[in-house]
Amino acid sequence: MRTLLRPTGFVDSPFSHDGKVARLAGGLNWFAQAELIHGDGRRELVAVEGIEARFDEAMASDWTRLTSARAPLTMGARTIRLDQPQVMGIINVTPDSFSDGGAFADARAAAEAGAAMAQAGAAIIDVGGESTRPGAAAVWEGDEIERVLPVVQQLAAGGAAVSIDTRKSGVMSAAIAAGAGLVNDVSALSWDPHSAAAVSAAGVPVVLMHHQGDPATMQDAPHYGDVLVEVFGWLEERIAAAEAAGIPRARILVDPGIGFGKTVAHNLELFNGLALFHGLGCGLVVGASRKRMIGALSGEAPADQRLAGSLALALKALDQGAQIVRVHDVPETVQAIKVWRGLRDQALTPRLV
Ligand code: YH5
């Protein structure tokens, strides 16, 4: 295994630190150190200044990806910039959805909720019709299309940037034809053998999310040697498979898949080391909203009482340079991001002396 570069030692501003700091993925964060994660597990902290002296070919390529700007996403008529954080609002159109109790079982109500999210500042509305919760019943492709299509149609017609959360190529193609401009696949195009070709042919961007095991059993006994290293390697392979199918890296987003075959400790380690994944050279999506890790850390708060924990994790993701946070509570998350942005902008405003 090769040596990975994990950005750390974040600084408020690059001013008067020429050569000592690097910009993370063309975004709003700068860092002064990187942790070298060696193949044998050794970890070594090195300063950004002079770090090139340590590079082999693979590290030099990772460094370029880590520090280069991300191209904006083109979603139909809409352009989503990735040099600043964006919110993806979650709309579940499942009878047994995770945390809204199926409140959006009706298509019109779901589309109205999505439009309200867009109004509140969500850049993307993620529409899903299949529950990946352990024990959830499988959904036939035709039924899933029937559920999500009217919602996608109505939201897209209203001008929203719509993402389709599915593992099925038939749902992807139908949703894209109805106006969806992004595919969000929790299987990273591995569940349906026709998905990669469908995404490639449509020319839309795609989110490749990491998972370990099947949704039904993934939480039984998740195991990793080093979770950061293994999730990185897995995503690297899925990116290679997507590229081989004709999807350019500029249209690929990656996601560590919080809660998908991970213990609470794994999820926390992924958050603390999140900036590592910028070395993949793709926009980074993180979804932790209302998830079980928040319950586990808060005396088992029920799913509808996890807003504060969700905001804490969204801000952690932003501090690690994540470009997109996938959330249920859009107005609250948008407010938290605006305050975070105020802090960043102050630090990045040159002082007049
Ligand atoms: C994700 O992380 N997650 S579906 C359990 C909950 C709350 C919410 C109450 N799709 C992701 O949202 N797509 C899902 O406990 C996703 N990233 C991306 N890209 C699970 C979910 C949830 C699960």
Side-chain angles (χ1 to χ4, degrees), residues 304-325:
D304 64 351
Q305 288 168 43
R306 294 178 184 168
L307 171 59
S310 301
L311 295 175
L313 291 174
L315 294 179
K316 177 66 181 180
L318 264 47
D319 281 338
Q320 293 277 316
Q323 287 93 350
I324 299 179
V325 285

Side-chain angles (χ1 to χ4, degrees), residues 245-304:
I247 306 168
R249 195 177 291 252
R251 286 210 283 267
I252 300 173
L253 300 151
V254 292
D255 184 326
I258 296 301
F260 282 79
K262 282 117 187 158
T263 63
V264 172
H266 294 141
N267 292 321
L268 291 168
E269 197 173 338
L270 286 168
F271 263 100
N272 280 328
L274 204 59
L276 171 75
F277 298 106
H278 294 293
L280 293 166
C282 301
L284 181 57
V285 181
V286 180
S289 181
R290 298 186 191 175
K291 282 188 179 172
R292 208 187 61 80
M293 67 178 293
I294 299 166
L297 293 166
S298 62
E300 298 302 334
D304 64 351

Side-chain angles (χ1 to χ4, degrees), residues 14 16-22 47-52:
S16 56
H17 304 316
D18 275 4
K20 291 191 161 68
V21 297
V48 159
E49 187 163 39
I51 194 171
E52 324 75 52

Side-chain angles (χ1 to χ4, degrees), residues 26-350:
L28 295 164
N29 298 304
W30 272 259
F31 61 102
Q33 296 170 315
E35 186 179 57
L36 306 188
I37 305 177
H38 296 293
D40 60 5
R42 265 184 318 117
R43 292 181 176 226
E44 188 186 353
L45 197 58
V46 298
V48 159
E49 187 163 39
I51 194 171
E52 324 75 52
R54 304 292 308 273
F55 291 168
D56 59 22
E57 218 171 290
M59 291 164 81
S61 156
D62 282 1
W63 181 260
T64 301
R65 290 190 168 131
L66 205 54
T67 55
S68 59
R70 301 291 174 256
L73 295 179
T74 302
M75 293 179 62
R78 302 278 308 273
T79 300
I80 314 285
R81 300 176 62 123
L82 295 182
D83 60 351
Q84 55 190 67
Q86 305 286 359
V87 169
M88 172 188 273
I90 303 170
I91 293 291
N92 286 316
V93 205
T94 56
D96 69 330
S97 68
F98 274 108
S99 48
D100 55 32
F104 301 136
D106 169 60
R108 189 197 300 263
E112 281 168 8
M117 286 177 171
Q119 187 63 34
I124 301 168
I125 309 301
D126 189 41
V127 178
E130 180 200 36
S131 172
T132 44
R133 164 203 268 166
V139 185
W140 179 59
E141 186 168 83
D143 289 341
E144 192 176 328
I145 291 173
E146 202 173 298
R147 266 187 212 165
V148 297
L149 219 61
V151 182
V152 170
Q153 233 151 19
Q154 195 171 320
L155 280 170
V162 178
S163 133
I164 179 70
D165 182 351
T166 188
R167 300 182 294 172
K168 303 184 183 80
S169 61
V171 180
M172 294 173 189
S173 299
I176 292 164
L182 170 69
V183 168
N184 175 29
D185 183 352
V186 300
S187 84
L189 304 177
S190 72
W191 194 80
D192 178 337
H194 305 294
S195 293
V199 169
S200 175
V204 298
V206 61
V207 181
L208 304 180
M209 195 198 79
H210 176 270
H211 65 281
Q212 185 181 81
D214 309 317
T217 56
M218 65 190 178
Q219 287 307 111
D220 290 355
H223 179 81
Y224 299 87
D226 182 317
V227 68
L228 279 175
V229 171
E230 287 179 28
V231 172
F232 186 97
W234 190 96
L235 286 170
E236 200 168 38
E237 284 175 21
R238 296 313 304 161
I239 291 168
E243 285 186 316
I247 306 168
R249 195 177 291 252
R251 286 210 283 267
I252 300 173
L253 300 151
V254 292
D255 184 326
I258 296 301
F260 282 79
K262 282 117 187 158
T263 63
V264 172
H266 294 141
N267 292 321
L268 291 168
E269 197 173 338
L270 286 168
F271 263 100
N272 280 328
L274 204 59
L276 171 75
F277 298 106
H278 294 293
L280 293 166
C282 301
L284 181 57
V285 181
V286 180
S289 181
R290 298 186 191 175
K291 282 188 179 172
R292 208 187 61 80
M293 67 178 293
I294 299 166
L297 293 166
S298 62
E300 298 302 334
D304 64 351
Q305 288 168 43
R306 294 178 184 168
L307 171 59
S310 301
L311 295 175
L313 291 174
L315 294 179
K316 177 66 181 180
L318 264 47
D319 281 338
Q320 293 277 316
Q323 287 93 350
I324 299 179
V325 285
R326 181 179 177 275
V327 304
H328 299 86
D329 303 286
V330 171
E332 294 86 352
T333 306
V334 167
Q335 186 182 75
I337 292 180
K338 282 182 176 165
V339 171
W340 179 92
R341 181 64 190 268
L343 292 165
R344 293 282 66 231
D345 286 347
Q346 189 285 328
L348 298 173
T349 302

